[in-house]
Amino acid sequence: MENTWVANHTVRSDFDLVGLFSQSKHPALLCVVIFVVFLMALSGNTMLILLIHYDVHLHNPMYFFITQLSLMDVMYISVTVPKMLMDQVMGVNKISAPECGMQMFLYLTLVGSEFFLLAAMAYDRYVAICHPLRYPILMNHRVCLILVSSCWLLGSVDGFMLTPVTMTFPFCRSREIHHFFCEVPAVMKLSCSDTSIYETLMYLCCVLMLLIPVTIISSSYSFILFTIHRMKSAEGRKKAFATCSSHMTVVILFYGAAMYTYMLPNSYHTPENDMIVSVFYTILTPVLNPLIYSLRNKDVTKALKKMLNVEFVFQETIK
């Protein structure tokens, strides 16, 4: 494996990222739009993290998981977008093999972790709605830490499994990656060796990575919907449904795009479609998550108004 790695980099050790801007008629405008979206994602998720940290009323398991989701979103949008924007501004589209491998590993780890985190969040909602009296015991701080740590660990396993194997294949075709970052399927297309066995194993791995969380999520929400249907209080039904629908919106957006990328056969893929789908869950989802969880959540909007009022009073006092 080490000899293969050396052979790959003896002549040329970098790749060319043929990204979004090469497909656009107005690359400068697209660059500005993506930069604005990137800033919105960073500010929105950072604000949500700080809001949950400083407001004691939001110190419960659901918001602890939302904090982790926002942290993952900030990290994985930062893995891909700054490099893409800098390349456009500098007029450079190269990425070295070590940088490509690191980007691939971080991306796989963060996305894999988010798969399992969304499942943990679904289980949290199941316990809160179906077993409210036992909720403080079943979802105590220790359990939450174990669940979150497991999500990060399982995500890193995905990164450690796929990245070294992908990067040690011989790349003797064009070094142009038809993507805006080093995503596994896009890099694999450059290999001149037979990758069919690896692609089958990767497919099975991705099926497991998706199947386990999807099973937990679908089971949790089946019980939740049954419990909501039996609720006598209209206000209770409305609150439970609002909380769950927010989470389900995030799940559908994220898992739908991931299933397209990693589970559909190659015949359904084109470089242009792959990039569009990747934009959806690497750039747009991190922007949408804080909006979904704040605008549709009365506790978060109340805490935000409280924080803004405190800042306003503080400024008035200084004047």
Side-chain angles (χ1 to χ4, degrees):
M1 187 174 281
E2 188 177 15
N3 291 334
T4 307
W5 178 270
V6 174
N8 283 345
H9 301 88
T10 303
V11 179
R12 189 178 171 195
S13 60
D14 54 4
F15 298 96
D16 296 323
L17 290 169
V18 183
L20 286 172
F21 301 111
S22 63
Q23 310 292 324
S24 174
K25 293 180 181 179
H26 306 285
L29 178 61
L30 182 61
C31 184
V32 171
V33 170
I34 291 175
F35 179 64
V36 171
V37 170
F38 174 66
L39 290 180
M40 287 173 62
L42 284 186
S43 57
N45 283 289
T46 303
M47 185 186 71
L48 196 56
I49 291 169
L50 293 174
L51 197 63
I52 292 169
H53 177 73
Y54 285 111
D55 195 302
V56 293
H57 298 99
L58 302 179
H59 289 182
N60 61 50
M62 183 178 82
Y63 294 109
F64 175 66
F65 289 127
I66 290 175
T67 301
Q68 294 297 309
L69 181 68
S70 290
L71 179 62
M72 289 176 185
D73 284 345
V74 166
M75 290 176 71
Y76 84 68
I77 197 173
S78 300
V79 166
T80 57
V81 173
K83 165 70 177 167
M84 177 175 63
L85 294 175
M86 284 298 296
D87 285 354
Q88 176 64 17
V89 172
M90 303 291 289
V92 180
N93 63 347
K94 296 188 183 299
I95 185 169
S96 68
E99 287 174 338
C100 186
M102 181 58 69
Q103 190 182 61
M104 186 183 294
F105 169 75
L106 291 173
Y107 174 79
L108 288 169
T109 297
L110 291 163
V111 172
S113 299
E114 190 155 330
F115 285 157
F116 290 102
L117 182 67
L118 290 172
M121 291 172 75
Y123 173 72
D124 170 68
R125 291 300 83 209
Y126 157 72
V127 176
I129 293 170
C130 300
H131 304 283
L133 298 178
R134 299 174 62 196
Y135 182 69
I137 299 168
L138 294 174
M139 294 301 294
N140 60 53
H141 188 62
R142 182 170 173 271
V143 171
C144 291
L145 286 175
I146 291 171
L147 286 173
V148 167
S149 301
S150 300
C151 293
W152 283 100
L153 178 64
L154 290 168
S156 65
V157 168
D158 188 36
F160 277 118
M161 281 197 308
L162 297 182
T163 306
V165 179
T166 303
M167 295 305 295
T168 48
F169 274 106
F171 302 112
C172 50
R173 294 178 185 171
S174 166
R175 306 288 287 196
E176 290 187 348
I177 300 173
H178 289 272
H179 217 302
F180 60 90
F181 69 100
C182 290
E183 194 167 34
V184 175
V187 175
M188 287 301 300
K189 291 176 182 177
L190 306 183
S191 178
C192 54
S193 60
D194 183 15
T195 60
S196 56
I197 296 175
Y198 173 61
E199 286 176 8
T200 303
L201 290 173
M202 184 176 70
Y203 174 80
L204 293 173
C205 174
C206 292
V207 167
L208 285 174
M209 289 285 289
L210 290 168
L211 189 62
I212 294 170
V214 166
T215 302
I216 295 170
I217 290 168
S218 56
S219 300
S220 297
Y221 278 99
S222 296
F223 287 114
I224 287 169
L225 289 173
F226 180 69
T227 304
I228 290 174
H229 180 70
R230 292 170 57 192
M231 283 182 178
K232 295 179 180 179
S233 168
E235 183 65 28
R237 279 201 304 269
K238 185 179 177 182
K239 186 176 180 181
F241 187 76
T243 304
C244 294
S245 60
S246 298
H247 185 247
M248 281 307 297
T249 305
V250 174
V251 168
I252 291 167
L253 290 173
F254 195 73
Y255 279 84
M259 285 178 179
Y260 170 87
T261 302
Y262 290 99
M263 293 182 69
L264 280 183
N266 288 331
S267 57
Y268 289 87
H269 289 264
T270 64
E272 292 77 18
N273 288 343
D274 288 351
M275 278 193 278
I276 291 169
V277 173
S278 294
V279 165
F280 203 80
Y281 75 101
T282 59
I283 299 175
L284 294 183
T285 305
V287 180
L288 294 174
N289 282 351
L291 293 175
I292 290 168
Y293 283 112
S294 59
L295 294 178
R296 301 196 64 182
N297 191 304
K298 289 182 179 179
D299 294 333
V300 174
T301 51
K302 186 178 177 181
L304 181 59
K305 287 176 183 177
K306 182 181 175 183
M307 186 181 75
L308 293 173
N309 286 336
V310 169
E311 287 182 0
F312 178 75
V313 170
F314 180 70
Q315 289 175 356
E316 288 294 316
T317 305
I318 292 175
K319 289 178 182 178

